[in-house]
Amino acid sequence: MDSGSVALLRELLAETGWLERARELGVALRATRSPGGLLLVGTPDDEPWHLTAHLADEARFSGLAQLTPTLVRWAPPADAPAHLRVGIERLERAARGETLFVLAEREAPVPLLERVDDARRTGATILAIEGGDRELAGLAHDRIEVPRDGLVTFDGAQHLVSAAAGEPERRAGLRERLARLLEKVSGPQLTD
C-alpha cells in the first residue's frame, strides 16, 4: 500500500475511531526502548513479513531506531541470514523495555499464548492486532481487534498502525485531553 492509498484510507476512516486506535497503538510501539527490542511474532502458519517490512521502513524514514522490528519465526531455516534466523525461543529472553507485538488474525495457538504470558511476566509490553481472540486480548496491554466483517481488513489495520508508529509525535491540547478523560469516565457518546 503506497502513501496515497494510506492517505485515502485515513480520509475514509476519519470519523470511525480507527485512526485514533491506530495512533494509540503506534505510540505504544514507539515506547520500545532500544533497536531490536520490538519483537514481532505471528502464528506458526502466518509470519508477519509484511508488517516487519513496513515497520523497518517507518524506523528508517522517521529516524526512530526503536521501531526496527525483530521478526520472530517459528521454524527459521538454519542457513537463513542472522536477522531471519531469530526463533520463537527469543521470547523466553523478552525483558522489561522490550515490546512483543503479536499478530493473530485467527485464534492464537496455545504455545504462542504461553510464550506471550511468559514475556508479560518478565516485564515485556504486549501489544496485539488480533481477530477476536479473547485469551490473547486478555494478555495484551493494548490491542486492536479486527472483526472479520468490519470496515478495516487485517492487512489494512497493519498499515494504519505502522504508518501511525512513524508519525511525528503530536501533543494533545487541553481540550482534547479533557474530552478523552470525560469519555473514559462517562463512556462514549451514543448518537441516535
Side-chain angles (χ1 to χ4, degrees), residues 103-142:
L103 274 75
E105 187 170 4
R106 291 171 198 77
E107 193 170 295
V110 171
L112 176 58
L113 293 170
E114 289 171 346
R115 285 174 172 87
V116 170
D117 185 46
D118 291 343
R120 182 181 168 109
R121 289 175 195 266
T122 61
T125 299
I126 310 300
L127 305 176
I129 298 177
E130 48 86 17
D133 186 323
R134 293 290 126 218
E135 289 189 57
L136 179 56
L139 292 171
H141 291 97
D142 197 2

PDB file of all heavy atoms in Angstrom, residues 103-142:
ATOM      1  N   LEU A 103       0.653 -10.705  16.118  1.00  0.00           N
ATOM      2  CA  LEU A 103      -0.365 -10.624  15.074  1.00  0.00           C
ATOM      3  C   LEU A 103      -1.024 -11.988  14.953  1.00  0.00           C
ATOM      4  O   LEU A 103      -0.344 -12.979  14.690  1.00  0.00           O
ATOM      5  CB  LEU A 103       0.258 -10.237  13.732  1.00  0.00           C
ATOM      6  CG  LEU A 103       0.391  -8.733  13.532  1.00  0.00           C
ATOM      7  CD1 LEU A 103       1.527  -8.200  14.350  1.00  0.00           C
ATOM      8  CD2 LEU A 103       0.548  -8.412  12.092  1.00  0.00           C
ATOM      9  N   ALA A 104      -2.323 -12.019  15.163  1.00  0.00           N
ATOM     10  CA  ALA A 104      -3.061 -13.275  15.068  1.00  0.00           C
ATOM     11  C   ALA A 104      -4.453 -12.985  14.519  1.00  0.00           C
ATOM     12  O   ALA A 104      -5.334 -12.562  15.254  1.00  0.00           O
ATOM     13  CB  ALA A 104      -3.153 -13.957  16.431  1.00  0.00           C
ATOM     14  N   GLU A 105      -4.601 -13.184  13.221  1.00  0.00           N
ATOM     15  CA  GLU A 105      -5.891 -12.908  12.585  1.00  0.00           C
ATOM     16  C   GLU A 105      -6.955 -13.884  13.061  1.00  0.00           C
ATOM     17  O   GLU A 105      -8.117 -13.539  13.186  1.00  0.00           O
ATOM     18  CB  GLU A 105      -5.746 -12.986  11.066  1.00  0.00           C
ATOM     19  CG  GLU A 105      -6.981 -12.559  10.330  1.00  0.00           C
ATOM     20  CD  GLU A 105      -6.759 -12.417   8.836  1.00  0.00           C
ATOM     21  OE1 GLU A 105      -5.663 -12.719   8.335  1.00  0.00           O
ATOM     22  OE2 GLU A 105      -7.712 -11.990   8.160  1.00  0.00           O
ATOM     23  N   ARG A 106      -6.532 -15.098  13.357  1.00  0.00           N
ATOM     24  CA  ARG A 106      -7.427 -16.106  13.913  1.00  0.00           C
ATOM     25  C   ARG A 106      -6.961 -16.418  15.324  1.00  0.00           C
ATOM     26  O   ARG A 106      -6.069 -15.791  15.838  1.00  0.00           O
ATOM     27  CB  ARG A 106      -7.417 -17.344  13.026  1.00  0.00           C
ATOM     28  CG  ARG A 106      -8.084 -17.075  11.679  1.00  0.00           C
ATOM     29  CD  ARG A 106      -7.882 -18.230  10.716  1.00  0.00           C
ATOM     30  NE  ARG A 106      -8.119 -17.828   9.349  1.00  0.00           N
ATOM     31  CZ  ARG A 106      -7.279 -17.128   8.595  1.00  0.00           C
ATOM     32  NH1 ARG A 106      -6.128 -16.742   9.076  1.00  0.00           N
ATOM     33  NH2 ARG A 106      -7.579 -16.796   7.365  1.00  0.00           N
ATOM     34  N   GLU A 107      -7.544 -17.404  15.936  1.00  0.00           N
ATOM     35  CA  GLU A 107      -7.196 -17.760  17.307  1.00  0.00           C
ATOM     36  C   GLU A 107      -5.710 -18.117  17.425  1.00  0.00           C
ATOM     37  O   GLU A 107      -5.182 -18.893  16.632  1.00  0.00           O
ATOM     38  CB  GLU A 107      -8.055 -18.945  17.740  1.00  0.00           C
ATOM     39  CG  GLU A 107      -8.021 -19.199  19.216  1.00  0.00           C
ATOM     40  CD  GLU A 107      -9.057 -20.216  19.618  1.00  0.00           C
ATOM     41  OE1 GLU A 107     -10.262 -19.918  19.464  1.00  0.00           O
ATOM     42  OE2 GLU A 107      -8.657 -21.295  20.076  1.00  0.00           O
ATOM     43  N   ALA A 108      -5.045 -17.538  18.430  1.00  0.00           N
ATOM     44  CA  ALA A 108      -3.630 -17.827  18.660  1.00  0.00           C
ATOM     45  C   ALA A 108      -3.482 -19.224  19.253  1.00  0.00           C
ATOM     46  O   ALA A 108      -4.251 -19.606  20.138  1.00  0.00           O
ATOM     47  CB  ALA A 108      -3.037 -16.792  19.606  1.00  0.00           C
ATOM     48  N   PRO A 109      -2.508 -20.007  18.777  1.00  0.00           N
ATOM     49  CA  PRO A 109      -2.324 -21.349  19.329  1.00  0.00           C
ATOM     50  C   PRO A 109      -1.794 -21.284  20.768  1.00  0.00           C
ATOM     51  O   PRO A 109      -1.151 -20.303  21.169  1.00  0.00           O
ATOM     52  CB  PRO A 109      -1.303 -21.985  18.379  1.00  0.00           C
ATOM     53  CG  PRO A 109      -0.590 -20.843  17.757  1.00  0.00           C
ATOM     54  CD  PRO A 109      -1.566 -19.699  17.711  1.00  0.00           C
ATOM     55  N   VAL A 110      -2.058 -22.320  21.528  1.00  0.00           N
ATOM     56  CA  VAL A 110      -1.657 -22.370  22.938  1.00  0.00           C
ATOM     57  C   VAL A 110      -0.159 -22.127  23.128  1.00  0.00           C
ATOM     58  O   VAL A 110       0.228 -21.366  24.020  1.00  0.00           O
ATOM     59  CB  VAL A 110      -2.113 -23.701  23.588  1.00  0.00           C
ATOM     60  CG1 VAL A 110      -1.536 -23.876  24.981  1.00  0.00           C
ATOM     61  CG2 VAL A 110      -3.636 -23.752  23.634  1.00  0.00           C
ATOM     62  N   PRO A 111       0.738 -22.731  22.320  1.00  0.00           N
ATOM     63  CA  PRO A 111       2.167 -22.460  22.533  1.00  0.00           C
ATOM     64  C   PRO A 111       2.517 -20.970  22.413  1.00  0.00           C
ATOM     65  O   PRO A 111       3.366 -20.467  23.146  1.00  0.00           O
ATOM     66  CB  PRO A 111       2.871 -23.279  21.444  1.00  0.00           C
ATOM     67  CG  PRO A 111       1.902 -24.370  21.106  1.00  0.00           C
ATOM     68  CD  PRO A 111       0.532 -23.756  21.274  1.00  0.00           C
ATOM     69  N   LEU A 112       1.847 -20.259  21.518  1.00  0.00           N
ATOM     70  CA  LEU A 112       2.086 -18.823  21.396  1.00  0.00           C
ATOM     71  C   LEU A 112       1.556 -18.099  22.625  1.00  0.00           C
ATOM     72  O   LEU A 112       2.242 -17.238  23.200  1.00  0.00           O
ATOM     73  CB  LEU A 112       1.433 -18.263  20.127  1.00  0.00           C
ATOM     74  CG  LEU A 112       1.527 -16.751  19.931  1.00  0.00           C
ATOM     75  CD1 LEU A 112       2.984 -16.281  19.911  1.00  0.00           C
ATOM     76  CD2 LEU A 112       0.821 -16.327  18.647  1.00  0.00           C
ATOM     77  N   LEU A 113       0.364 -18.433  23.066  1.00  0.00           N
ATOM     78  CA  LEU A 113      -0.210 -17.793  24.251  1.00  0.00           C
ATOM     79  C   LEU A 113       0.671 -18.017  25.478  1.00  0.00           C
ATOM     80  O   LEU A 113       0.862 -17.101  26.292  1.00  0.00           O
ATOM     81  CB  LEU A 113      -1.623 -18.314  24.504  1.00  0.00           C
ATOM     82  CG  LEU A 113      -2.672 -17.938  23.457  1.00  0.00           C
ATOM     83  CD1 LEU A 113      -3.962 -18.712  23.708  1.00  0.00           C
ATOM     84  CD2 LEU A 113      -2.912 -16.445  23.437  1.00  0.00           C
ATOM     85  N   GLU A 114       1.229 -19.213  25.611  1.00  0.00           N
ATOM     86  CA  GLU A 114       2.118 -19.497  26.752  1.00  0.00           C
ATOM     87  C   GLU A 114       3.359 -18.621  26.706  1.00  0.00           C
ATOM     88  O   GLU A 114       3.787 -18.072  27.723  1.00  0.00           O
ATOM     89  CB  GLU A 114       2.511 -20.980  26.750  1.00  0.00           C
ATOM     90  CG  GLU A 114       1.368 -21.897  27.124  1.00  0.00           C
ATOM     91  CD  GLU A 114       1.684 -23.370  26.911  1.00  0.00           C
ATOM     92  OE1 GLU A 114       2.694 -23.698  26.230  1.00  0.00           O
ATOM     93  OE2 GLU A 114       0.917 -24.201  27.437  1.00  0.00           O
ATOM     94  N   ARG A 115       3.938 -18.465  25.534  1.00  0.00           N
ATOM     95  CA  ARG A 115       5.143 -17.637  25.403  1.00  0.00           C
ATOM     96  C   ARG A 115       4.824 -16.153  25.621  1.00  0.00           C
ATOM     97  O   ARG A 115       5.611 -15.416  26.198  1.00  0.00           O
ATOM     98  CB  ARG A 115       5.790 -17.883  24.051  1.00  0.00           C
ATOM     99  CG  ARG A 115       6.500 -19.220  24.010  1.00  0.00           C
ATOM    100  CD  ARG A 115       7.021 -19.534  22.616  1.00  0.00           C
ATOM    101  NE  ARG A 115       7.851 -20.717  22.628  1.00  0.00           N
ATOM    102  CZ  ARG A 115       7.391 -21.957  22.503  1.00  0.00           C
ATOM    103  NH1 ARG A 115       6.102 -22.175  22.366  1.00  0.00           N
ATOM    104  NH2 ARG A 115       8.213 -22.980  22.495  1.00  0.00           N
ATOM    105  N   VAL A 116       3.674 -15.712  25.156  1.00  0.00           N
ATOM    106  CA  VAL A 116       3.251 -14.328  25.383  1.00  0.00           C
ATOM    107  C   VAL A 116       3.065 -14.089  26.886  1.00  0.00           C
ATOM    108  O   VAL A 116       3.512 -13.069  27.421  1.00  0.00           O
ATOM    109  CB  VAL A 116       1.954 -14.013  24.603  1.00  0.00           C
ATOM    110  CG1 VAL A 116       1.370 -12.666  25.023  1.00  0.00           C
ATOM    111  CG2 VAL A 116       2.220 -14.035  23.103  1.00  0.00           C
ATOM    112  N   ASP A 117       2.442 -15.030  27.566  1.00  0.00           N
ATOM    113  CA  ASP A 117       2.245 -14.915  29.007  1.00  0.00           C
ATOM    114  C   ASP A 117       3.593 -14.852  29.732  1.00  0.00           C
ATOM    115  O   ASP A 117       3.787 -14.035  30.645  1.00  0.00           O
ATOM    116  CB  ASP A 117       1.417 -16.091  29.517  1.00  0.00           C
ATOM    117  CG  ASP A 117       1.064 -15.963  30.989  1.00  0.00           C
ATOM    118  OD1 ASP A 117       0.638 -14.875  31.415  1.00  0.00           O
ATOM    119  OD2 ASP A 117       1.229 -16.965  31.723  1.00  0.00           O
ATOM    120  N   ASP A 118       4.543 -15.684  29.328  1.00  0.00           N
ATOM    121  CA  ASP A 118       5.879 -15.659  29.940  1.00  0.00           C
ATOM    122  C   ASP A 118       6.559 -14.311  29.710  1.00  0.00           C
ATOM    123  O   ASP A 118       7.168 -13.753  30.625  1.00  0.00           O
ATOM    124  CB  ASP A 118       6.756 -16.783  29.371  1.00  0.00           C
ATOM    125  CG  ASP A 118       6.300 -18.160  29.802  1.00  0.00           C
ATOM    126  OD1 ASP A 118       5.517 -18.263  30.779  1.00  0.00           O
ATOM    127  OD2 ASP A 118       6.713 -19.144  29.150  1.00  0.00           O
ATOM    128  N   ALA A 119       6.466 -13.780  28.494  1.00  0.00           N
ATOM    129  CA  ALA A 119       7.086 -12.486  28.185  1.00  0.00           C
ATOM    130  C   ALA A 119       6.445 -11.378  29.014  1.00  0.00           C
ATOM    131  O   ALA A 119       7.134 -10.474  29.502  1.00  0.00           O
ATOM    132  CB  ALA A 119       6.957 -12.186  26.688  1.00  0.00           C
ATOM    133  N   ARG A 120       5.154 -11.445  29.202  1.00  0.00           N
ATOM    134  CA  ARG A 120       4.461 -10.437  30.018  1.00  0.00           C
ATOM    135  C   ARG A 120       4.941 -10.503  31.464  1.00  0.00           C
ATOM    136  O   ARG A 120       5.174  -9.481  32.101  1.00  0.00           O
ATOM    137  CB  ARG A 120       2.949 -10.653  29.934  1.00  0.00           C
ATOM    138  CG  ARG A 120       2.162  -9.618  30.716  1.00  0.00           C
ATOM    139  CD  ARG A 120       0.667  -9.883  30.627  1.00  0.00           C
ATOM    140  NE  ARG A 120      -0.021  -9.072  31.598  1.00  0.00           N
ATOM    141  CZ  ARG A 120      -0.780  -8.022  31.309  1.00  0.00           C
ATOM    142  NH1 ARG A 120      -0.959  -7.663  30.056  1.00  0.00           N
ATOM    143  NH2 ARG A 120      -1.356  -7.341  32.262  1.00  0.00           N
ATOM    144  N   ARG A 121       5.128 -11.716  31.980  1.00  0.00           N
ATOM    145  CA  ARG A 121       5.584 -11.893  33.370  1.00  0.00           C
ATOM    146  C   ARG A 121       6.997 -11.355  33.590  1.00  0.00           C
ATOM    147  O   ARG A 121       7.329 -10.952  34.692  1.00  0.00           O
ATOM    148  CB  ARG A 121       5.526 -13.371  33.763  1.00  0.00           C
ATOM    149  CG  ARG A 121       4.126 -13.891  33.924  1.00  0.00           C
ATOM    150  CD  ARG A 121       4.172 -15.394  34.192  1.00  0.00           C
ATOM    151  NE  ARG A 121       2.890 -16.011  34.005  1.00  0.00           N
ATOM    152  CZ  ARG A 121       2.019 -16.226  34.973  1.00  0.00           C
ATOM    153  NH1 ARG A 121       2.297 -15.868  36.193  1.00  0.00           N
ATOM    154  NH2 ARG A 121       0.865 -16.796  34.717  1.00  0.00           N
ATOM    155  N   THR A 122       7.811 -11.368  32.543  1.00  0.00           N
ATOM    156  CA  THR A 122       9.174 -10.851  32.688  1.00  0.00           C
ATOM    157  C   THR A 122       9.254  -9.350  32.454  1.00  0.00           C
ATOM    158  O   THR A 122      10.334  -8.780  32.512  1.00  0.00           O
ATOM    159  CB  THR A 122      10.155 -11.576  31.741  1.00  0.00           C
ATOM    160  OG1 THR A 122       9.747 -11.364  30.396  1.00  0.00           O
ATOM    161  CG2 THR A 122      10.225 -13.056  32.047  1.00  0.00           C
ATOM    162  N   GLY A 123       8.123  -8.721  32.167  1.00  0.00           N
ATOM    163  CA  GLY A 123       8.086  -7.269  32.067  1.00  0.00           C
ATOM    164  C   GLY A 123       7.988  -6.691  30.675  1.00  0.00           C
ATOM    165  O   GLY A 123       7.976  -5.472  30.513  1.00  0.00           O
ATOM    166  N   ALA A 124       7.931  -7.533  29.644  1.00  0.00           N
ATOM    167  CA  ALA A 124       7.773  -7.018  28.280  1.00  0.00           C
ATOM    168  C   ALA A 124       6.372  -6.451  28.111  1.00  0.00           C
ATOM    169  O   ALA A 124       5.411  -6.932  28.710  1.00  0.00           O
ATOM    170  CB  ALA A 124       8.019  -8.125  27.257  1.00  0.00           C
ATOM    171  N   THR A 125       6.256  -5.434  27.296  1.00  0.00           N
ATOM    172  CA  THR A 125       4.952  -4.870  26.955  1.00  0.00           C
ATOM    173  C   THR A 125       4.363  -5.710  25.823  1.00  0.00           C
ATOM    174  O   THR A 125       5.044  -5.978  24.832  1.00  0.00           O
ATOM    175  CB  THR A 125       5.095  -3.405  26.499  1.00  0.00           C
ATOM    176  OG1 THR A 125       5.652  -2.657  27.572  1.00  0.00           O
ATOM    177  CG2 THR A 125       3.756  -2.814  26.092  1.00  0.00           C
ATOM    178  N   ILE A 126       3.112  -6.106  25.966  1.00  0.00           N
ATOM    179  CA  ILE A 126       2.457  -6.951  24.969  1.00  0.00           C
ATOM    180  C   ILE A 126       1.432  -6.114  24.205  1.00  0.00           C
ATOM    181  O   ILE A 126       0.523  -5.538  24.798  1.00  0.00           O
ATOM    182  CB  ILE A 126       1.735  -8.155  25.626  1.00  0.00           C
ATOM    183  CG1 ILE A 126       2.653  -8.897  26.599  1.00  0.00           C
ATOM    184  CG2 ILE A 126       1.155  -9.075  24.557  1.00  0.00           C
ATOM    185  CD1 ILE A 126       3.908  -9.477  25.997  1.00  0.00           C
ATOM    186  N   LEU A 127       1.613  -6.038  22.901  1.00  0.00           N
ATOM    187  CA  LEU A 127       0.677  -5.353  22.010  1.00  0.00           C
ATOM    188  C   LEU A 127       0.186  -6.371  20.986  1.00  0.00           C
ATOM    189  O   LEU A 127       0.894  -7.332  20.677  1.00  0.00           O
ATOM    190  CB  LEU A 127       1.363  -4.186  21.297  1.00  0.00           C
ATOM    191  CG  LEU A 127       2.034  -3.143  22.196  1.00  0.00           C
ATOM    192  CD1 LEU A 127       2.753  -2.102  21.355  1.00  0.00           C
ATOM    193  CD2 LEU A 127       1.020  -2.491  23.111  1.00  0.00           C
ATOM    194  N   ALA A 128      -1.007  -6.157  20.464  1.00  0.00           N
ATOM    195  CA  ALA A 128      -1.540  -7.139  19.511  1.00  0.00           C
ATOM    196  C   ALA A 128      -2.491  -6.497  18.514  1.00  0.00           C
ATOM    197  O   ALA A 128      -3.190  -5.539  18.825  1.00  0.00           O
ATOM    198  CB  ALA A 128      -2.263  -8.260  20.259  1.00  0.00           C
ATOM    199  N   ILE A 129      -2.483  -7.065  17.346  1.00  0.00           N
ATOM    200  CA  ILE A 129      -3.560  -6.891  16.376  1.00  0.00           C
ATOM    201  C   ILE A 129      -4.138  -8.288  16.245  1.00  0.00           C
ATOM    202  O   ILE A 129      -3.423  -9.228  15.890  1.00  0.00           O
ATOM    203  CB  ILE A 129      -3.070  -6.361  15.016  1.00  0.00           C
ATOM    204  CG1 ILE A 129      -2.426  -4.987  15.164  1.00  0.00           C
ATOM    205  CG2 ILE A 129      -4.244  -6.302  14.028  1.00  0.00           C
ATOM    206  CD1 ILE A 129      -1.856  -4.428  13.863  1.00  0.00           C
ATOM    207  N   GLU A 130      -5.400  -8.430  16.609  1.00  0.00           N
ATOM    208  CA  GLU A 130      -5.989  -9.767  16.657  1.00  0.00           C
ATOM    209  C   GLU A 130      -7.409  -9.753  16.121  1.00  0.00           C
ATOM    210  O   GLU A 130      -8.018  -8.713  16.012  1.00  0.00           O
ATOM    211  CB  GLU A 130      -5.904 -10.332  18.081  1.00  0.00           C
ATOM    212  CG  GLU A 130      -6.361  -9.401  19.190  1.00  0.00           C
ATOM    213  CD  GLU A 130      -7.834  -9.447  19.467  1.00  0.00           C
ATOM    214  OE1 GLU A 130      -8.508 -10.401  19.060  1.00  0.00           O
ATOM    215  OE2 GLU A 130      -8.329  -8.514  20.097  1.00  0.00           O
ATOM    216  N   GLY A 131      -7.881 -10.943  15.804  1.00  0.00           N
ATOM    217  CA  GLY A 131      -9.193 -11.079  15.171  1.00  0.00           C
ATOM    218  C   GLY A 131     -10.297 -11.542  16.093  1.00  0.00           C
ATOM    219  O   GLY A 131     -11.238 -12.173  15.642  1.00  0.00           O
ATOM    220  N   GLY A 132     -10.191 -11.254  17.385  1.00  0.00           N
ATOM    221  CA  GLY A 132     -11.254 -11.625  18.309  1.00  0.00           C
ATOM    222  C   GLY A 132     -10.866 -12.719  19.279  1.00  0.00           C
ATOM    223  O   GLY A 132     -11.740 -13.354  19.872  1.00  0.00           O
ATOM    224  N   ASP A 133      -9.590 -12.957  19.463  1.00  0.00           N
ATOM    225  CA  ASP A 133      -9.110 -13.990  20.381  1.00  0.00           C
ATOM    226  C   ASP A 133      -9.142 -13.449  21.815  1.00  0.00           C
ATOM    227  O   ASP A 133      -8.333 -12.609  22.190  1.00  0.00           O
ATOM    228  CB  ASP A 133      -7.689 -14.397  19.985  1.00  0.00           C
ATOM    229  CG  ASP A 133      -7.155 -15.566  20.791  1.00  0.00           C
ATOM    230  OD1 ASP A 133      -7.450 -15.659  21.999  1.00  0.00           O
ATOM    231  OD2 ASP A 133      -6.415 -16.374  20.207  1.00  0.00           O
ATOM    232  N   ARG A 134     -10.072 -13.913  22.614  1.00  0.00           N
ATOM    233  CA  ARG A 134     -10.246 -13.418  23.998  1.00  0.00           C
ATOM    234  C   ARG A 134      -9.022 -13.673  24.869  1.00  0.00           C
ATOM    235  O   ARG A 134      -8.673 -12.859  25.711  1.00  0.00           O
ATOM    236  CB  ARG A 134     -11.480 -14.053  24.646  1.00  0.00           C
ATOM    237  CG  ARG A 134     -12.779 -13.627  24.016  1.00  0.00           C
ATOM    238  CD  ARG A 134     -13.089 -12.171  24.310  1.00  0.00           C
ATOM    239  NE  ARG A 134     -13.318 -11.490  23.058  1.00  0.00           N
ATOM    240  CZ  ARG A 134     -12.927 -10.254  22.762  1.00  0.00           C
ATOM    241  NH1 ARG A 134     -12.299  -9.514  23.606  1.00  0.00           N
ATOM    242  NH2 ARG A 134     -13.169  -9.725  21.591  1.00  0.00           N
ATOM    243  N   GLU A 135      -8.360 -14.830  24.701  1.00  0.00           N
ATOM    244  CA  GLU A 135      -7.190 -15.127  25.533  1.00  0.00           C
ATOM    245  C   GLU A 135      -6.036 -14.192  25.205  1.00  0.00           C
ATOM    246  O   GLU A 135      -5.375 -13.667  26.100  1.00  0.00           O
ATOM    247  CB  GLU A 135      -6.775 -16.585  25.367  1.00  0.00           C
ATOM    248  CG  GLU A 135      -7.763 -17.543  26.025  1.00  0.00           C
ATOM    249  CD  GLU A 135      -7.247 -18.955  26.046  1.00  0.00           C
ATOM    250  OE1 GLU A 135      -6.147 -19.175  26.597  1.00  0.00           O
ATOM    251  OE2 GLU A 135      -7.940 -19.831  25.519  1.00  0.00           O
ATOM    252  N   LEU A 136      -5.785 -13.971  23.929  1.00  0.00           N
ATOM    253  CA  LEU A 136      -4.725 -13.044  23.529  1.00  0.00           C
ATOM    254  C   LEU A 136      -5.082 -11.633  23.978  1.00  0.00           C
ATOM    255  O   LEU A 136      -4.230 -10.902  24.486  1.00  0.00           O
ATOM    256  CB  LEU A 136      -4.504 -13.093  22.015  1.00  0.00           C
ATOM    257  CG  LEU A 136      -3.441 -12.151  21.458  1.00  0.00           C
ATOM    258  CD1 LEU A 136      -2.090 -12.371  22.138  1.00  0.00           C
ATOM    259  CD2 LEU A 136      -3.324 -12.335  19.948  1.00  0.00           C
ATOM    260  N   ALA A 137      -6.326 -11.248  23.825  1.00  0.00           N
ATOM    261  CA  ALA A 137      -6.773  -9.922  24.263  1.00  0.00           C
ATOM    262  C   ALA A 137      -6.531  -9.740  25.757  1.00  0.00           C
ATOM    263  O   ALA A 137      -6.138  -8.659  26.209  1.00  0.00           O
ATOM    264  CB  ALA A 137      -8.247  -9.725  23.936  1.00  0.00           C
ATOM    265  N   GLY A 138      -6.732 -10.790  26.542  1.00  0.00           N
ATOM    266  CA  GLY A 138      -6.524 -10.713  27.976  1.00  0.00           C
ATOM    267  C   GLY A 138      -5.065 -10.574  28.364  1.00  0.00           C
ATOM    268  O   GLY A 138      -4.752 -10.042  29.432  1.00  0.00           O
ATOM    269  N   LEU A 139      -4.151 -11.011  27.516  1.00  0.00           N
ATOM    270  CA  LEU A 139      -2.722 -10.907  27.802  1.00  0.00           C
ATOM    271  C   LEU A 139      -2.126  -9.579  27.343  1.00  0.00           C
ATOM    272  O   LEU A 139      -1.094  -9.145  27.854  1.00  0.00           O
ATOM    273  CB  LEU A 139      -1.958 -12.054  27.115  1.00  0.00           C
ATOM    274  CG  LEU A 139      -2.214 -13.450  27.659  1.00  0.00           C
ATOM    275  CD1 LEU A 139      -1.575 -14.499  26.750  1.00  0.00           C
ATOM    276  CD2 LEU A 139      -1.675 -13.564  29.081  1.00  0.00           C
ATOM    277  N   ALA A 140      -2.767  -8.943  26.371  1.00  0.00           N
ATOM    278  CA  ALA A 140      -2.213  -7.726  25.771  1.00  0.00           C
ATOM    279  C   ALA A 140      -2.423  -6.506  26.666  1.00  0.00           C
ATOM    280  O   ALA A 140      -3.482  -6.335  27.254  1.00  0.00           O
ATOM    281  CB  ALA A 140      -2.850  -7.487  24.405  1.00  0.00           C
ATOM    282  N   HIS A 141      -1.387  -5.681  26.743  1.00  0.00           N
ATOM    283  CA  HIS A 141      -1.524  -4.398  27.431  1.00  0.00           C
ATOM    284  C   HIS A 141      -2.363  -3.440  26.587  1.00  0.00           C
ATOM    285  O   HIS A 141      -3.094  -2.616  27.114  1.00  0.00           O
ATOM    286  CB  HIS A 141      -0.141  -3.778  27.686  1.00  0.00           C
ATOM    287  CG  HIS A 141       0.661  -4.535  28.692  1.00  0.00           C
ATOM    288  ND1 HIS A 141       1.611  -5.463  28.327  1.00  0.00           N
ATOM    289  CD2 HIS A 141       0.647  -4.520  30.045  1.00  0.00           C
ATOM    290  CE1 HIS A 141       2.164  -5.969  29.416  1.00  0.00           C
ATOM    291  NE2 HIS A 141       1.591  -5.420  30.476  1.00  0.00           N
ATOM    292  N   ASP A 142      -2.210  -3.543  25.266  1.00  0.00           N
ATOM    293  CA  ASP A 142      -3.008  -2.742  24.335  1.00  0.00           C
ATOM    294  C   ASP A 142      -3.156  -3.558  23.067  1.00  0.00           C
ATOM    295  O   ASP A 142      -2.266  -4.326  22.699  1.00  0.00           O
ATOM    296  CB  ASP A 142      -2.330  -1.401  24.049  1.00  0.00           C
ATOM    297  CG  ASP A 142      -3.284  -0.377  23.445  1.00  0.00           C
ATOM    298  OD1 ASP A 142      -4.486  -0.681  23.273  1.00  0.00           O
ATOM    299  OD2 ASP A 142      -2.834   0.738  23.139  1.00  0.00           O
TER     300      ASP A 142
END
